């Protein structure tokens, strides 16, 4: 679980570089729950990357590790996380808090719940601005109103003084985006940002996210279940399974000619859901206690053979992408 | 919804509730054994005197007629007379309720002062010293009966250490000139420092007793709400954008916690204003609670009914005031 493919010479040094990230719960013992098993993921500057995978594969946990906010009891056992070359795992708490919002911002699922019910929407955005700059009260409020306006909240000046319960779902999402982008982060992580919105609103919000992130020259890491969303918003896609990245590369080629049998199975499951029929990948996601000893997909993989059980397949560069499969 | 409409509706609801309480209380007191007429005229009186008194009090009428008479009386602001004190009940209450209000208010302030901060601090750090202290104190306060704690305090601070004065009423000094009826407040208004000290010192032990037992559940409630709030999505979001921890606690979490905690405080205040029978008894404080039991034991109906109604009214009024405050403070009630 140590080696990793050398990046192709043409690729710029990445903005976010996650190497061999291993996270366990209830530290110490080797057979404790280990939901992340050596995640390798790179997000280049000014790019959009999606992270897809079944529920429980470790997408949100990876994001929490990046912002330094793992749930209670979780610990990084191995690996590194670098942002623009700076090591985040060893960074002091103060430094991490300073980076949050200013260099990395995150939007969680359910924007309504992620805004405080008893503070005004504009006031919350203004506070984030004041935290990361020396703008005063008046100036930060002016910028908050501007941001809401840029995100397409009508009558932004008045709406800034409203509370989140007065916002519709779509408007709350726009406000959450305004808050996340308020301090010009280099990286926006959006964890299932449109779950719960209807199709039209989902479309509008995604377009807005892409537009705003691109305009600012920032990068996007979009976590989603929905491969259609990945196709339409991100040039690169990483597929996660059981705490590992199984395949990553240009979205178009990963989703049209998958090189990892897990990606194939995921695409098939997704396509049949789209047609209204049910197809689930046979078998269940393994519960991860202790380090993996074989390909995590081996128990469900139609192509599995003895070689798959000899060790955990490493991510290897193959043509335009990276694949973790001995048979690829 | 418009505030005025809301308040009117709540007042109407309050009237209905009071009506219900009066009905139940009236029936219960009339079903109690013992004819007050005997108590009034004495055991030795002859039959005709007893009948005369019974008729004068209307006790020979069917119970529903007695109740209608009572309601008519109430509507004109008359709570009846106490044959035990020989005063109109309104007069008795006017002199006793201030004692209860004074003690209840002091107890509430003390209770809030220790329980809310402890609940908040202990929620922030699980298994810390403050968390264990919160467990120990709230466990103690919840499980010890009020009168027993009062007796222990008297034993320690009066009988043994002799720091506290004897539990003999509201003051051992001068009674300050009457303005509000609350001796401490009146003493301050009159600028009489000695009278203030004399009244305040009589309140310390009973107020502490009540503050412990009333504050104990509040520690748990505050800690529970604070934990819940600190784990909520909006707190996580604010942290994820770098908002400093001080602001997370004071600006983002606290208002969300104080709204439900103030409701709990209002419930406690309603309870305290209705008269805390056992504590008033242990400390010999002439409040509403003591008035009520003294009356019950002598079949003196009118004061008992009045005390029940007053207790219900305290709850309803405090609750209403709290709801109006929330209506004004909580943005979610506005649209
Ligand atoms: N607070 C926690 N305590 C214990 N285990 C946890 C905790 N949070 C996550 N895990 C473990 O980590 C695994 C990955 O969780 P994560 O939330 O990252 O999944 P996900 O890929 O985001 O799934 P979803 O699509 O459902 O959001 C879970 O299956 C669970 O076993
Ligand atoms: S390594 Fe083997 S089991 Fe794992 S995905 Fe490839 S073929 Fe399937
Ligand atoms: Mg998730």
């Amino acid at each position: 679980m140590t080696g990793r493919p050398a990046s192709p010479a043409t690729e710029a040094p990445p903005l976010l570089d996650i190497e061999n990230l291993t996270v366990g719960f209830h530290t110490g013992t080797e057979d404790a729950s280990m939901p992340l098993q050596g995640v390798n993921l790179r997000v280049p500057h000014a790019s959009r990357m999606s992270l897809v995978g079944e529920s429980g594969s470790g997408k949100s946990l990876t994001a929490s590790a990046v912002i330094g906010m793992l749930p209670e009891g979780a610990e990084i056992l191995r690996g590194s996380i670098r942002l623009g070359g700076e090591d985040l795992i060893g960074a002091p708490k103060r430094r991490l808090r300073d980076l949050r919002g200013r260099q990395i911002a995150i939007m969680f699922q359910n924007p309504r719940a992620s805004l405080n019910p008893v503070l005004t929407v504009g006031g919350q955005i203004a506070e984030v601005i004041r935290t990361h700059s020396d703008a005063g009260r008046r100036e930060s409020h002016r910028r908050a109103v501007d941001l809401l306006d840029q995100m397409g909240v009508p009558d932004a000046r008045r709406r800034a003084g409203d509370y989140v319960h007065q916002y519709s779902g779509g408007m709350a999402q726009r406000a959450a985006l305004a808050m996340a982008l308020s301090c010009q982060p280099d990286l926006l992580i959006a964890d299932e940002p449109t779950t719960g919105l209807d199709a039209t609103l989902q479309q509008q919000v995604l377009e807005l996210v892409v537009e705003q992130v691109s305009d600012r020259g920032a990068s996007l890491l979009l976590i989603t279940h929905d491969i259609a969303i990945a196709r339409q918003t991100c040039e690169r896609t990483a597929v996660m399974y059981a705490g590992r990245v199984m395949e990553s590369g240009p979205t178009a080629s990963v989703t049209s000619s998958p090189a990892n049998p897990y990606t194939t199975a995921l695409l098939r499951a997704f396509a049949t859901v789209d047609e209204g029929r049910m197809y689930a990948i046979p078998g269940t996601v393994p519960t991860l206690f202790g380090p993996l000893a074989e390909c995590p997909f081996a128990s469900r993989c139609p192509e599995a053979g003895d070689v798959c059980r000899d060790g955990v397949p490493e991510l290897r560069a193959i043509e335009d992408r990276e694949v973790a499969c001995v048979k690829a | 919804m418009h505030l005025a409409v809301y308040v009117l509706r709540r007042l109407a609801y309050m009237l209905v509730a009071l009506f219900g309480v009066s009905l139940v209380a009236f029936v219960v007191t009339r079903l109690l054994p013992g004819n007050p007429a005997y108590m009034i005229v004495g055991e030795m009186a002859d039959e005709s005197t007893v009948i005369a008194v019974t008729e004068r009090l209307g006790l020979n009428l069917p119970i529903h007629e007695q109740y209608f008479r009572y309601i008519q009386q109430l509507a004109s602001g008359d709570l009846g007379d106490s044959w035990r004190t020989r005063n109109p009940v309104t007069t008795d209450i006017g002199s006793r309720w201030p004692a209860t209000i004074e003690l209840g208010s002091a107890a509430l302030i003390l209770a809030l002062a220790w329980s809310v901060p402890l609940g908040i601090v202990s929620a922030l750090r699980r298994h810390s010293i403050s968390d264990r202290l919160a467990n120990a104190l709230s466990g103690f306060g919840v499980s010890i009966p009020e009168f027993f704690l009062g007796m222990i305090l008297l034993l320690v601070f009066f009988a043994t250490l002799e720091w506290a004065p004897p539990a003999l009423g509201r003051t051992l000094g001068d009674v300050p000139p009457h303005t509000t009826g609350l001796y401490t407040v009146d003493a301050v208004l009159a600028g009489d420092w000695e009278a203030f000290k004399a009244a305040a010192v009589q309140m310390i032990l009973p107020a502490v007793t009540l503050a412990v037992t009333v504050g104990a559940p509040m520690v748990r409630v505050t800690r529970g709400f604070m934990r819940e709030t600190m784990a909520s999505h909006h707190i996580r979001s604010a942290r994820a954008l770098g908002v400093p921890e001080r602001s997370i606690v004071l600006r983002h979490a606290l208002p969300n916690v104080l709204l439900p905690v103030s409701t709990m405080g209002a419930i406690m205040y309603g309870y305290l204003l209705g008269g805390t029978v056992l504590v008033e008894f242990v400390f010999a404080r002439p409040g509403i609670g003591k008035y009520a039991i003294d009356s019950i034991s002598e079949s003196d109906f009118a004061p008992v009914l009045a005390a029940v109604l007053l207790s219900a009214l305290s709850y309803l009024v405090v609750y209403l005031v709290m709801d109006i405050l929330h209506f004004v403070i909580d943005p979610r009630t506005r649209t």
Side-chain angles (χ1 to χ4, degrees):
Chain A
M1 255 192 266
T2 46
R4 55 164 308 158
S7 38
T10 50
E11 212 173 296
L15 169 66
L16 176 69
D17 190 353
I18 301 176
E19 248 184 85
N20 195 26
L21 179 66
T22 305
V23 168
F25 277 89
H26 307 301
T27 58
T29 51
E30 276 296 275
D31 59 350
S33 142
M34 278 176 65
L36 297 188
Q37 300 262 355
V39 175
N40 285 304
L41 184 73
R42 269 170 295 154
V43 180
H45 283 280
S47 71
R48 299 188 299 274
M49 163 83 93
S50 73
L51 190 56
V52 301
E54 279 169 284
S55 193
S57 53
K59 306 181 295 292
S60 298
L61 213 52
T62 304
S64 307
V66 171
I67 59 169
M69 284 177 53
L70 282 172
E72 209 175 318
E75 194 191 29
I76 295 179
L77 301 174
R78 273 185 292 283
S80 70
I81 302 171
R82 284 196 191 78
L83 187 76
E86 178 179 357
D87 175 30
L88 297 190
I89 293 178
K93 272 199 162 140
R94 255 195 92 77
R95 174 70 185 145
L96 270 180
R97 215 196 62 216
D98 185 48
L99 287 176
R100 274 186 226 138
R102 202 163 55 78
Q103 289 190 25
I104 321 168
I106 188 162
M107 278 168 78
F108 298 109
Q109 199 178 329
N110 195 350
R112 209 179 264 292
S114 56
L115 290 161
N116 197 314
V118 301
L119 301 175
T120 63
V121 171
Q124 292 178 66
I125 301 174
E127 185 181 11
V128 174
I129 294 172
R130 281 200 302 281
T131 303
H132 296 293
S133 69
D134 43 19
R137 216 154 251 286
R138 195 179 264 274
E139 169 64 10
S140 61
H141 275 275
R142 195 189 57 73
R143 281 196 228 166
V145 171
D146 281 354
L147 276 160
L148 286 172
D149 186 52
Q150 285 166 36
M151 299 306 145
V153 174
D155 197 6
R157 184 181 297 278
R158 188 176 58 79
R159 299 293 282 173
D162 282 350
Y163 296 86
V164 66
H165 74 271
Q166 292 160 294
Y167 277 57
S168 66
M171 283 304 141
Q173 189 54 272
R174 285 165 197 267
L177 182 63
M179 187 150 97
L181 293 177
S182 62
C183 296
Q184 308 282 349
D186 302 318
L187 175 65
L188 174 68
I189 303 176
D191 193 346
E192 321 243 9
T194 56
T195 316
L197 295 182
D198 69 50
T200 330
L201 271 179
Q202 185 163 320
Q203 192 65 30
Q204 287 173 7
V205 167
L206 284 172
E207 276 167 19
L208 181 68
V209 170
V210 169
E211 175 195 307
Q212 292 294 328
V213 166
S214 309
D215 283 359
R216 289 168 160 75
S219 293
L220 173 69
L221 179 61
L222 179 76
I223 295 174
T224 178
H225 279 109
D226 189 336
I227 288 166
I229 288 180
R231 279 205 191 102
Q232 127 198 13
T233 43
C234 297
E235 60 253 39
R236 301 181 69 79
T237 289
V239 179
M240 248 188 117
Y241 178 70
R244 309 251 317 150
V245 171
M246 301 297 272
E247 175 167 10
S248 89
T251 308
S253 52
V254 168
T255 60
S256 61
S257 54
N260 186 306
Y262 176 69
T263 315
T264 312
L266 190 68
L267 286 168
R268 185 163 164 226
F270 185 72
T272 42
V273 169
D274 240 15
E275 286 162 23
R277 287 179 289 125
M278 288 299 287
Y279 168 84
I281 305 173
T284 51
V285 183
T287 352
L288 301 169
F289 288 106
L292 287 166
E294 56 179 29
C295 173
F297 195 46
S299 62
R300 305 165 80 185
C301 179
E303 296 180 36
D306 286 346
V307 277
C308 308
R309 302 184 192 274
D310 286 346
V312 188
E314 294 296 336
L315 263 184
R316 292 179 290 134
I318 298 176
E319 291 164 14
D320 62 343
R321 69 190 89 161
E322 298 175 352
V323 185
C325 171
V326 290
K327 302 213 169 166
Chain B
M1 199 185 353
H2 206 279
L3 185 57
V5 179
Y6 177 73
V7 172
L8 275 179
R9 227 164 63 182
R10 287 292 303 267
L11 284 173
Y13 167 77
M14 227 163 94
L15 264 183
V16 174
L18 281 177
F19 198 72
V21 169
S22 71
L23 180 61
V24 173
F26 190 86
V27 171
V28 169
T29 47
R30 286 303 183 271
L31 293 180
L32 286 177
N35 183 350
Y38 281 110
M39 308 287 258
I40 294 169
V41 298
E43 310 247 338
M44 297 307 159
D46 61 49
E47 191 68 22
S48 60
T49 325
V50 173
I51 291 173
V53 170
T54 306
E55 276 173 7
R56 184 165 59 78
L57 294 176
L59 292 174
N60 57 331
L61 298 171
I63 191 161
H64 63 269
E65 264 179 51
Q66 291 186 40
Y67 180 65
F68 282 131
R69 277 192 176 195
Y70 183 66
I71 288 293
Q72 274 169 350
Q73 216 185 359
L74 271 189
S76 64
D78 180 4
L79 289 169
D81 298 317
S82 162
W83 64 261
R84 189 174 60 87
T85 64
R86 310 212 177 268
N87 290 327
V89 172
T90 42
T91 311
D92 280 348
I93 283 179
S95 68
R96 285 169 173 82
W97 206 19
T100 296
I101 294 174
E102 190 175 29
L103 176 61
S105 304
L108 184 78
I109 291 168
L110 281 182
L112 292 175
W114 78 270
S115 66
V116 174
L118 182 58
I120 300 240
V121 170
S122 65
L124 294 177
R125 305 199 61 180
R126 222 170 255 248
H127 308 306
S128 62
I129 293 177
S130 60
D131 196 20
R132 271 178 248 164
L133 187 68
N135 272 334
L137 284 180
S138 63
F140 174 75
V142 168
S143 53
I144 191 164
E146 274 167 5
F147 75 93
F148 190 56
L149 178 59
M151 280 162 51
I152 292 176
L153 291 181
L154 273 179
L155 185 70
V156 174
F157 292 100
F158 164 64
T160 311
L161 297 173
E162 294 181 14
W163 292 352
L168 293 173
R170 300 177 67 186
T171 181
L172 295 179
D174 297 333
V175 173
H178 183 99
T179 316
T180 61
L182 314 180
Y183 286 2
T184 45
V185 175
D186 287 349
V188 169
L189 291 179
D192 187 343
W193 180 237
E194 285 304 316
F196 173 81
K197 245 174 47 186
V201 97
Q202 287 294 322
M203 263 199 324
I204 294 176
L205 291 188
V208 166
T209 304
L210 289 169
V212 169
T213 51
V214 159
M218 296 207 47
V219 172
R220 299 194 171 190
V221 168
T222 308
R223 181 172 60 180
F225 279 120
M226 188 67 185
R227 275 189 187 154
E228 197 180 298
T229 304
M230 289 303 282
S232 67
H233 289 279
H234 61 83
I235 293 294
R236 186 169 155 75
S237 285
R239 277 209 183 110
L241 292 175
V243 173
E245 206 55 28
R246 208 171 59 96
S247 168
I248 292 280
V249 172
L250 297 179
R251 212 168 100 85
H252 289 251
L254 209 52
N256 283 289
V257 173
L258 291 185
L259 284 170
V261 165
S262 59
T263 301
M264 175 88 180
I267 296 175
M268 294 303 181
Y269 198 38
Y271 161 72
L272 292 170
L273 291 186
T276 48
V277 177
L278 292 175
V279 169
E280 286 180 356
F281 198 77
V282 169
F283 290 95
R285 287 185 64 87
I288 286 297
K290 190 162 178 303
Y291 182 56
I293 39 166
D294 289 347
S295 305
I296 287 177
S297 57
E298 305 206 25
S299 299
D300 197 358
F301 291 156
V304 175
L305 274 172
V308 172
L309 283 177
L310 206 59
S311 172
L313 187 70
S314 314
Y315 261 107
L316 292 168
V317 168
V318 172
Y319 227 72
L320 177 64
V321 169
M322 203 65 239
D323 278 354
I324 292 173
L325 273 180
H326 280 196
F327 197 89
V328 176
I329 294 167
D330 188 347
R332 279 164 295 192
T333 58
R334 281 173 255 150
T335 39

